[in-house]
Amino acid sequence: MLRNKLLTLLIPLLTGLLACEQAFARLYDDVIDSGYIRIGVYKDFPPYSFIQDGEPTGIDVAIAREMAEGLGLELQLHWIIPDEGLEDDLRNNVWKGHYLDKDEDNPLAMKQLADVMLRVPYDKAYAYKQDSLGYLINEHVVMKAPYQQERWQVAYDSKRLKAVRTVAVFQYDPIGVEVDSVPAFYFTSALGGRMRNMTHHYASPRLAFSAMQAGEVAAVMAMQSEIDWLLQQANDPQYRLAENSFPTMGKQTWDIGIAIRQTDRQLGYAVEEVLDRLIRSGEMGALFAGHGVRYTKPAFYQVAEEAATTN
C-alpha cells in the first residue's frame, strides 16, 4: 500500500521533470516541425528590443522577424530580463533555465527557453573562457554568426561644449553614464581618476540622455547604436556626436552575434545562413538605417571586403 502511494506521488513529479527537460531540448527538427521559432531578445532595451505602443519593436525584433521568415517559421519572442552577467543570461535563457521561471500551464516545468538568443558578444576568448579548474564556463552554448559590430560613442550638448576631441574635457564638465557599465568604470578610473567627480551615474542611457537635455550633464557615453537612436529621437541639432577617442580603454569595438545550445549546431547553421544573406545583400544595413542607427559590418565581412578590394 505504501509503495503504491509513493508511486502515485512520484509519477506526476517525474512527468513534470520530463516536461521540464523537453521544454528546453528543442533540436532543429523539433523547431521546424513545430512551425515556430523562439528567439530571445532583451526586454526594454532600445533601440534593439522594446515595446512601443503595445507592440514589440527594435532592431533585434526586426532581425528576429527576418530570421523566422527566412526559415519559413512563425516568430515567438522570448523576452530576456538581464541577470548579473552574460553567463547567467545564457544559462537562464538558452541551455538550462531558472528554477523560479515556471510554465503557467505546468507549475512543475520551467518555461520553454529560447531556441536562439540575439545580441550576444562574439568573442572567441570569452567563448572558450575557463574556470579555476580548467573547465569551459560556456560549454553548453555556441556563440556564432556575428551580424553587427558595436562600439562606444559620446554625444554632447553643443551649447555647453564646442567639441569633444578628447575625454580630458570631462575633468571639468560632467558626463552621464549607465551605472555598472564599461563607460562608468572608464570615467571613474582613467586619467588617474581625475574624471571621477564629473561622472554621473544613471540607470540607463535614456535617463543619462534626459539628464543632458535637462542640463545636468554636458555629455553622455553609451553604445553607438544607443546614442544614434537617442539623437534621432531627440531630433535636435544641439546634441551632437563626439569624435571618439578613449585612450587606455582597451577593447573599443566588438562583434555581436547569436547563441544557441551546444547540442543544436544545425539550427545555428540555418540561422547563420539567413543572417549572412541579410548582411551581404545590404538588407541588414537598411534595417539599421530604418531605426536611425548606423550599421557597421562584423570584422569577418570587413576583412573579406578589404581583401577583395586589394585583389
Side-chain angles (χ1 to χ4, degrees):
M1 180 69 70
L2 179 60
R3 178 173 177 273
N4 290 338
K5 286 183 178 180
L6 288 173
L7 285 173
T8 301
L9 292 171
L10 285 173
I11 288 173
L13 177 60
L14 292 172
T15 302
L17 290 173
L18 286 172
C20 173
E21 178 67 24
Q22 292 168 354
F24 56 84
R26 275 164 47 101
L27 301 179
Y28 175 76
D29 289 340
D30 299 323
V31 173
I32 298 300
D33 291 343
S34 73
Y36 69 90
I37 183 170
R38 286 178 64 86
I39 299 180
V41 295
Y42 280 100
K43 187 175 183 180
D44 194 26
F45 192 25
Y48 312 110
S49 43
F50 58 108
I51 300 294
Q52 188 173 57
D53 299 326
E55 295 294 329
T57 189
I59 293 168
D60 284 346
V61 172
I63 292 173
R65 290 183 177 127
E66 291 287 347
M67 288 165 53
E69 183 178 341
L71 295 173
L73 299 170
E74 175 192 338
L75 171 64
Q76 288 189 7
L77 289 174
H78 174 93
W79 292 101
I80 298 171
I81 299 175
D83 208 318
E84 292 185 7
L86 178 58
E87 292 160 20
D88 301 307
D89 295 344
L90 292 170
R91 181 186 63 247
N92 294 340
N93 297 279
V94 178
W95 65 270
K96 185 178 182 181
H98 195 288
Y99 68 95
L100 291 178
D101 198 14
K102 300 298 182 180
D103 189 325
E104 294 178 1
D105 297 326
N106 185 356
L108 291 175
M110 284 185 282
K111 289 182 179 178
Q112 183 178 315
L113 301 187
D115 299 311
V116 180
M117 177 176 166
L118 294 182
R119 196 127 310 261
V120 176
Y122 179 76
D123 183 276
K124 288 188 177 180
Y126 178 77
Y128 293 101
K129 183 180 177 182
Q130 298 177 341
D131 62 19
S132 59
L133 298 176
Y135 293 104
L136 289 175
I137 292 176
N138 298 303
E139 64 175 337
H140 297 290
V141 298
V142 176
M143 287 165 269
K144 60 183 305 175
Y147 59 87
Q148 178 207 358
Q149 186 172 93
E150 190 61 270
R151 68 187 68 237
W152 299 110
Q153 176 69 60
V154 169
Y156 68 96
D157 182 346
S158 63
K159 289 188 176 180
R160 296 184 62 173
L161 298 170
K162 291 184 178 180
V164 179
R165 298 186 178 90
T166 169
V167 295
V169 299
F170 300 116
Q171 297 176 86
Y172 316 104
D173 292 284
I175 184 168
V177 297
E178 184 175 16
V179 65
D180 293 331
S181 65
V182 171
F185 175 79
Y186 178 72
F187 279 104
T188 54
S189 60
L191 299 185
R194 292 197 297 274
M195 298 181 289
R196 183 180 296 117
N197 293 336
M198 286 294 167
T199 304
H200 295 203
H201 300 83
Y202 299 90
S204 70
R206 280 180 293 174
L207 291 177
F209 197 91
S210 295
M212 180 171 66
Q213 292 174 304
E216 295 177 19
V217 294
V220 174
M221 183 175 175
M223 287 184 286
Q224 176 180 285
S225 299
E226 292 177 305
I227 293 294
D228 283 356
W229 184 78
L230 288 166
L231 287 173
Q232 190 250 7
Q233 294 291 302
N235 192 28
D236 188 335
Q238 176 179 336
Y239 307 108
R240 302 175 183 176
L241 293 171
E243 299 176 33
N244 281 359
S245 177
F246 310 117
T248 73
M249 187 179 196
K251 195 168 187 176
Q252 299 183 29
T253 64
W254 63 97
D255 288 348
I256 297 294
I258 68 170
I260 57 167
R261 284 178 291 278
Q262 192 276 338
T263 54
D264 197 16
R265 292 173 179 266
Q266 187 177 1
L267 178 60
Y269 294 139
V271 169
E272 187 174 40
E273 186 176 337
V274 175
L275 291 172
D276 181 70
R277 174 182 57 79
L278 292 173
I279 294 169
R280 294 184 187 277
S281 68
E283 294 173 79
M284 186 70 79
L287 186 154
F288 274 72
H291 288 81
V293 174
R294 289 169 288 169
Y295 175 67
T296 304
K297 292 180 180 179
F300 168 80
Y301 294 91
Q302 294 183 40
V303 171
E305 289 178 358
E306 289 173 6
T309 302
T310 303
N311 294 334

